[in-house]
Every structure is written in structure tokens, then in C-alpha cells.
Amino acid sequence: MTVAAVVGVDIGTSSSKGVLVDLAGNVLRSCSREHRVDRPRPGWVEMDGRIWWEEFVALTRDLLAPGDAHVVSVGVSGMGPCVLLTDGGGTPLRPAILYGVDTRSTPQIARLTERYGTDEILRRCGSTLSTQAAGAKIAWVADAEPEVFSRARRLFMPSSWLVFKLTGRYLIDQHSASQCTPLYDTVAQEWYRPWADEIAPGLDLPDLRWPGEVAGGVTAVAAAATGLPPGTPVVTGTIDAWSEAVSVGAQGVGDLMLMYGTTMFLVHTVPHRLTSPSLWGTVGALPGTRNLAGGMATSGAITGWLRELFDAADYPELLRLAERSGPGARGLLMLPFFAGERTPILDPDARGVIAGLTLSHGRGDIYRAALEATGLGVRHNIETIEAAGGDIRRVVAVGGGTQGGLWTQIVSDITGRTQHIPSVTIGASYGAAFLAAGVVEQVLIHRWNPIREVREPRPALAADYDELYQLYRELYVGTTSIAHALAARQARLATPTPPGNDEPVEDVTP
């Protein structure tokens, strides 16, 4: 007997994940594919966009292989905002430039900010220009690779690329567009043509839809490749962090989603449009919603990097050692800026620091310091959100880092915030599946994914972590000039390496 089900696929930084979910929210099957991002020089993070479709095909075929489900709709999501430029027929012209972890567009950010003005960009676009802004990345291609840009006609992100390959429709969701600063007007919720035509002349910007709207049906060609039934509805989808927020029901006013993944992401739902020069004011994933969002450049990326440095020790062992180390990591303090930093400091030239090291420190202390560094960064973002007018009433955690319990406990202890952890923490692919289910019948996320655990802060640790937080803030200020000098030195010493030579950084799965 076959069951009606939906497919959800998410293209992440270090892997792609797929789920097959019935209309009651039960995960029938899941699978994943790991991949590499390319780092051809410091500050550059790229990926061949064709891999996104190849992995979607492989995941879908794996999910459908047993033949016990009838797929009634398809959902997609992916990392972003990314810039994949193609010709008019949809053939990629260069590797996709990834989201804020790619910091190459600093000169374009400075130039465009000077031209349009910080205040006007913030007023119209909801965010200032930073390495997260897709519009600045497009400007980089126009400046650095004019021959490539002269042939560019279309702009894709992972979710919109999958929609195009599945349906032939050239669309992007409103939320992803709102991270294409300064090409999109978050007040009017449409492309802002005067700036878009100046920054990206000749580029045909995609039509806009909401993430849960049907983009089109699976074409015969896509059906043959994937095994999906021809004509199956495909929803427009969105950026992974917003799909994660959907997956845990963090869409109510006052909700804050914490995404524990390769990077740490924060999405706060606000009652009306708020802006901050240190955060991202965006359109939400659902019609009528608005967000203040933040994102750290690394979190799980550091734990994965440390795991490899520690000779591939498994995560449970590292967590055991970190727990033994205890609060404060036996006097260590880490700045987690190993790929620059996004919010709230918006400093692409920030660099990682481990302060307080002695010969008596071991793996567990360093690993604990990395977990605590994430918590300290989350606290800085939360304080910035509230200073901008946000009102955080509930925190919902999602992602691989919620497993094991220690990391979420550390973040609650440092921030003083209770975290609600749902039954399913798969994240973005599950959110994509939920959006897909919504086009065939009425579904409610609190029934799909109820809260299973509540993580409370421990008041006895508050004073110690308050002191550590102040040292964290001071350490960044005190080391900024040195970090910037070292970043400049790294740029001078860099030699390009062939794409594909980097080792993959794993998603954190303690």
C-alpha cells in the first residue's frame, strides 16, 4: 500500500539533505550527500552550482527507491544568499559565490555604500551592505570578471536553481530577494529597478513568489531524471535558515530561531519592519511577516575543523571531554571569527583567537572554548536584536548541534535564555517538506513537530559567564588591529589553488 508523501530537499554548505514525509509530518525516509565547497583563496567560498541538481536527483531517487510512497508535492531550500549567474538558457557561467562567508566583495560594498548612502540603503533595503549582500557579489563579478558578466542573464540561488531545473520556471522567493541588497526594496517588496539596472545591467531578475507558493509542475525531463511524477507541484522554497524556522514553527511575533549548523543563524520575527545597521532586516518566509536576523560566520565549521585537527575523534568523545573541562574551559576564551564575522560586528577581516592557552590545556578545553564562543556570539547578537527594538519572547533551537545536549545547555547558560527543542530537528529539508504539504492540504507545524525538550539556563553560572562575556567583548576590541594586519598579510601571501582541493567541513552532529 502506497502512502501520500512530500519530498523536501535542502542544499547546505557541507551537505545536501532530503526527507520523505507523510502528510501527518512523519519522516518516512531521509538521506544526505556530503560535498565540498571550494576556497581558492582567503575570503573566497564557491561551489559548482551544477552539483546542486546532481545531488537533488541522487537524493530523490534514494528517497523514492522502495516505491512505497506517492509524491504529491516537492519542497526545496538552500544556503544563501548565493550568486549563481547563468546565460539566458540557464547554463552556469562560473561557480556560485556563497553567502556571507565569502568576503571578496568588500571593495564593492565600500563603493556602493558611498554612492547610495548608508542611511538610504538601510531605509530602503532593511540592511546595510555587508558580505551577506548578494547585490555586492554581483557587482564583484561585473568588476572582476567583465567577460563573464557580459554573458550573464539570470541569477539563481540553490532553491531557485532547483525550481528552475524541476519546472523550467525562472522565479525566486521574496525572502531570498530581500537579501539581494541593494537590488530589492523591502518596503515595496519588489525589485528596485533604479539600483538594479545600474549595478546589474543586462541581468533579467527573476519573478517573485512567496516560499510556500507553487512555482510550477515537474517537467517530463525532470521526472525522467528524478523519478518524480510529471506535473507534481513544486513550491518556490527559500533560504535554509528561514526554512529551518518554518520547520520548528518559529514564525510567531516574538519568536527567535537559533540554527545550530555549519554556521549559527538567528531569525527573530517582529510585529513590524525594524532595521539595524548591525543586523539584517528582511521579509519573512510567510506573507506579511518581517524579521530581524543575524548570522555568525562559523560555529559547526569550527567544531568540524577541531575534530579533524584532533585526528578525527568522534563528537560524543569530544563532548564528553568538553563537559569534563567545565564552564569557562579551564581559563580559555575563544573568538570564533575563523572566517571573519558577520553580525553584529560585520567584520570580514576579523580572525579567530584562542586566549589563555597553557601546556596544561587539552582537547576538551579547546573544544569547550569553541562551544562557549558560539554562545558568547549568540549573546552579542541577542543584545543587538533587543537594542534595535526586538522583543524576544520564545527561543526555538534547531539543527545538528541540538543533539547531545551540551551545546544547547552552554548557550542557555551564557545567554540566560530558555530554549525549546522540537521533536524533529532535521531542519531546512523538513521545513521545505512542510511548505510542500501546505499546497495539498491544511497542515499545522505544532502538530507536525511538537516541542519535546526545554533547556533552562542554570542561574549559578550566570555571574561567571557574565564576566567571560565582558572579556570576550574586550578581546575583540583589543586584538582587532592585529587581526586586520594578519588578514592583510594572508591576502598578500595567498596563492590560488585549483577548485576542489579543500577538505570538506562537516556539519556539526555531536
Side-chain angles (χ1 to χ4, degrees):
M1 175 175 149
T2 60
V3 61
V6 294
V7 166
V9 173
D10 174 66
I11 308 296
T13 306
S14 56
S15 67
S16 297
K17 301 180 180 70
V19 291
L20 184 70
V21 184
D22 70 19
L23 296 181
N26 300 303
V27 178
L28 306 176
R29 203 166 294 118
S30 64
C31 53
S32 63
R33 289 284 188 281
E34 291 188 356
H35 54 234
R36 292 180 170 87
V37 296
D38 298 321
R39 303 176 189 269
R41 61 182 67 181
W44 291 30
V45 189
E46 303 183 340
M47 188 173 179
D48 184 347
R50 292 171 296 188
I51 294 173
W52 303 339
W53 174 244
E54 293 169 3
E55 293 191 343
F56 179 90
V57 170
L59 290 171
T60 304
R61 288 204 164 274
D62 285 349
L63 293 171
L64 301 182
D68 55 357
H70 171 65
V71 176
V72 294
S73 58
V74 179
V76 294
S77 66
M79 56 186 165
C82 302
V83 171
L84 176 66
L85 298 179
T86 77
D87 63 17
T91 300
L93 299 175
R94 69 171 324 283
I97 301 174
L98 301 196
Y99 52 99
V101 295
D102 185 291
T103 61
R104 75 182 73 187
S105 59
T106 301
Q108 288 71 33
I109 291 167
R111 187 185 80 232
L112 295 175
T113 298
E114 182 177 4
R115 175 161 179 74
Y116 301 129
T118 299
D119 292 344
E120 179 61 14
I121 293 170
L122 183 62
R123 185 194 70 80
R124 185 177 298 281
C125 304
S127 308
T128 58
L129 282 169
S130 70
T131 60
Q132 187 80 352
K137 298 176 191 295
I138 293 170
W140 180 90
V141 178
D143 290 347
E145 300 176 353
E147 189 278 329
V148 169
F149 192 76
S150 68
R151 294 183 287 132
R153 296 295 178 270
R154 292 184 169 184
L155 165 68
F156 292 98
M157 296 187 193
S159 58
S160 62
W161 176 248
L162 296 182
V163 166
F164 175 70
K165 297 293 287 185
L166 284 166
T167 69
R169 301 293 302 279
Y170 180 45
L171 308 168
I172 199 168
D173 68 286
Q174 291 274 3
H175 168 71
S176 296
S178 74
Q179 294 211 47
C180 289
T181 310
L183 309 185
Y184 177 91
D185 186 330
T186 59
V187 179
Q189 296 187 2
E190 61 186 24
W191 298 114
Y192 186 57
R193 295 293 173 180
W195 290 355
D197 291 345
E198 185 172 70
I199 294 168
L203 198 63
D204 178 22
L205 293 173
D207 291 337
L208 298 170
R209 297 287 187 277
W210 288 100
E213 288 189 271
V214 174
V218 174
T219 66
V221 172
T226 62
L228 293 165
T232 303
V234 178
V235 295
T236 303
T238 190
I239 287 174
D240 53 4
W242 274 258
S243 188
E244 299 250 8
V246 167
S247 80
V248 296
Q251 301 293 323
V253 171
D255 285 347
L256 174 72
M257 181 214 68
L258 290 183
M259 183 186 81
Y260 292 76
T262 303
T263 66
M264 174 66 81
F265 219 94
L266 306 90
V267 178
H268 176 47
T269 303
V270 295
H272 52 81
R273 186 174 182 267
L274 290 177
T275 61
S276 165
S278 303
L279 299 164
W280 306 313
T282 72
V283 172
L286 304 181
T289 58
R290 298 276 186 174
N291 298 126
L292 263 185
M296 299 171 64
T298 57
S299 57
I302 298 178
T303 61
W305 173 72
L306 286 173
R307 179 176 177 269
E308 293 302 315
L309 286 184
F310 296 153
D311 198 24
D314 61 24
Y315 285 116
E317 171 66 8
L318 289 172
L319 285 173
R320 185 184 64 79
L321 294 172
E323 189 156 21
R324 181 189 297 174
S325 174
R330 296 176 62 241
L332 293 187
L333 176 60
M334 179 184 292
L335 297 182
F337 310 145
F338 287 56
E341 187 54 297
R342 295 189 288 174
T343 65
I345 64 173
L346 302 177
D347 185 354
D349 291 329
R351 290 294 181 266
V353 174
I354 305 175
L357 277 170
T358 71
L359 295 177
S360 68
H361 287 107
R363 295 184 301 169
D365 303 315
I366 297 172
Y367 199 76
R368 175 89 188 204
L371 301 182
E372 291 183 337
T374 300
L376 296 165
V378 169
R379 178 168 170 171
H380 195 185
N381 274 281
I382 284 176
E383 289 184 356
T384 307
I385 288 171
E386 292 186 327
D391 179 16
I392 299 170
R393 306 171 193 170
R394 186 177 74 126
V395 179
V396 187
V398 66
T402 61
Q403 301 175 34
L406 180 60
W407 202 351
T408 51
Q409 185 63 61
I410 287 172
V411 172
S412 281
D413 291 338
I414 290 173
T415 62
R417 307 287 173 145
T418 298
Q419 294 180 77
H420 298 263
I421 303 171
S423 300
V424 179
T425 58
I426 293 171
S429 57
Y430 192 71
F434 177 78
L435 290 175
V439 305
V440 295
E441 68 174 45
Q442 185 177 9
V443 288
L444 299 173
I445 194 61
H446 70 269
R447 292 182 180 173
W448 265 44
N449 197 12
I451 299 299
R452 65 168 169 83
E453 186 178 356
V454 176
R455 186 77 62 204
E456 299 281 0
R458 295 174 290 188
L461 300 179
D464 282 344
Y465 275 133
D466 286 347
E467 180 183 4
L468 195 66
Y469 178 65
Q470 291 306 313
L471 293 173
Y472 170 85
R473 297 288 300 273
E474 292 170 16
L475 183 61
Y476 168 65
V477 174
T479 58
T480 297
S481 61
I482 295 172
H484 287 183
L486 292 173
R489 182 178 177 84
Q490 290 164 2
R492 291 195 303 270
L493 296 175
T495 55
T497 56
N501 283 2
D502 288 329
E503 292 299 315
V505 176
E506 300 180 32
D507 273 325
V508 56
T509 311

